[in-house]
């Protein structure tokens, strides 16, 4: 197993950390933003989620880390973090796959990815068979164009956590809300403060 692979222990630690950050956000949210908080949670997997994860594994239609994720985490709903971040339940991922098939994520249309979530702007997150996470450039999945946002699912979850902590600290939406061209601007602005990009 790669040291970048997901494990139940790593996922439990991640869920605990982000849940603490979500609680801190909840305590201050309405005072800071002037409107009530929506749904913001990490739901642990139940038996239905774990059964759907097994179906994913048996069908061989997603990266192994995605199966591990859904065997432990039911879904991620952060309606008020930046524009919003959502990782759908495994059952929804399977249903979408059955209805619409895989999403072509390479130029040769040989690698079919699974839509695993979205942001509040309607852009979808897609996990490729190799584990790379992409984001669509538009809300449509008809002939979509993609930007890579994470090297693997663990990297994606780490970026979600950084975006959450950044939002809790200063109200900024975090790097997953930015388009790639904005990363270049941020790099130029922060070049004298850090040797590399903050999140990617």
């Amino acid at each position: 197993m790669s040291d970048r692979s997901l494990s139940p222990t790593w996922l439990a630690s991640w869920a605990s950390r982000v849940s603490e950050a979500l609680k801190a956000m909840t305590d201050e949210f309405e005072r800071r933003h002037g409107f009530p908080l929506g749904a913001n949670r990490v739901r642990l997997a139940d038996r239905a989620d774990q059964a759907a994860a097994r179906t994913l594994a048996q069908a061989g239609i997603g990266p192994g880390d995605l199966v591990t994720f859904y065997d432990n985490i039911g879904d991620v709903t952060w309606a008020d973090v930046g524009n919003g971040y959502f990782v759908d339940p495994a059952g929804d991922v399977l249903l979408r796959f059955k209805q619409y098939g895989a999403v072509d994520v390479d130029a040769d249309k040989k690698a079919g990815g699974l839509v695993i979530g979205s942001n509040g702007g309607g852009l979808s997150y897609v996990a490729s068979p190799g584990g790379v996470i992409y984001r669509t450039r538009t809300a449509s999945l008809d002939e979509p164009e993609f930007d890579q946002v994470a090297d693997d699912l663990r990297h994606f979850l780490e970026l979600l956590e950084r975006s959450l902590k950044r939002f809790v600290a200063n109200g900024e939406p975090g790097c997953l809300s930015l388009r790639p061209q904005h990363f270049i601007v941020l790099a130029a602005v922060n070049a004298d403060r850090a040797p590399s990009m903050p999140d990617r």
Side-chain angles (χ1 to χ4, degrees):
M1 176 184 287
S2 163
D3 60 0
R4 293 294 307 169
S5 294
L6 291 181
S7 69
T9 301
W10 190 92
L11 285 166
S13 176
W14 179 85
S16 177
R17 292 193 307 271
V18 298
S19 294
E20 287 180 15
L22 288 169
K23 184 180 184 310
M25 182 183 84
T26 300
D27 293 343
E28 294 287 318
F29 188 87
E30 190 164 358
R31 182 186 64 78
R32 287 176 67 178
H33 300 280
F35 57 91
L37 192 69
N40 296 275
R41 66 174 191 192
V42 174
R43 183 179 63 80
L44 298 181
D46 58 22
R47 288 183 180 177
D49 298 309
Q50 291 167 342
R54 286 192 297 275
T55 302
L56 275 174
Q58 291 163 359
I61 55 174
D65 279 350
L66 192 62
V67 175
T68 304
F69 175 82
Y70 281 129
D71 202 41
N72 293 274
I73 306 292
D75 63 73
V76 175
T77 301
W78 297 351
D80 298 301
V81 179
N83 292 329
Y85 299 108
F86 307 92
V87 180
D88 299 331
D92 290 0
V93 173
L94 279 169
L95 180 61
R96 190 181 298 114
F97 174 76
K98 289 176 182 176
Q99 290 177 335
Y100 304 107
V103 178
D104 296 324
V105 292
D106 68 359
D108 297 330
K109 301 189 181 300
K110 293 178 181 176
L114 293 176
V115 177
I116 61 168
S118 61
N119 66 20
L123 305 183
S124 296
Y125 295 111
V126 178
S128 75
V132 174
I133 306 300
Y134 296 92
R135 183 184 56 207
T136 59
R137 292 182 180 175
T138 66
S140 173
L141 286 170
D142 296 328
E143 299 184 7
E145 295 182 351
F146 297 96
D147 295 313
Q148 180 178 333
V149 294
D151 298 332
D152 51 39
L153 189 56
R154 177 168 167 167
H155 185 205
F156 180 66
L157 295 174
E158 289 168 344
L159 291 176
L160 281 177
E161 181 178 1
R162 290 181 202 173
S163 293
L164 169 61
K165 289 182 176 178
R166 184 174 178 174
F167 182 76
V168 171
N170 56 29
E172 293 180 9
C175 74
L176 284 174
S177 292
L178 302 176
R179 293 208 178 275
Q181 59 267 29
H182 295 154
F183 297 146
I184 298 168
V185 174
L186 285 174
V189 169
N190 293 315
D192 58 337
R193 296 183 229 170
S196 61
M197 287 303 301
D199 287 338
R200 173 93 189 111

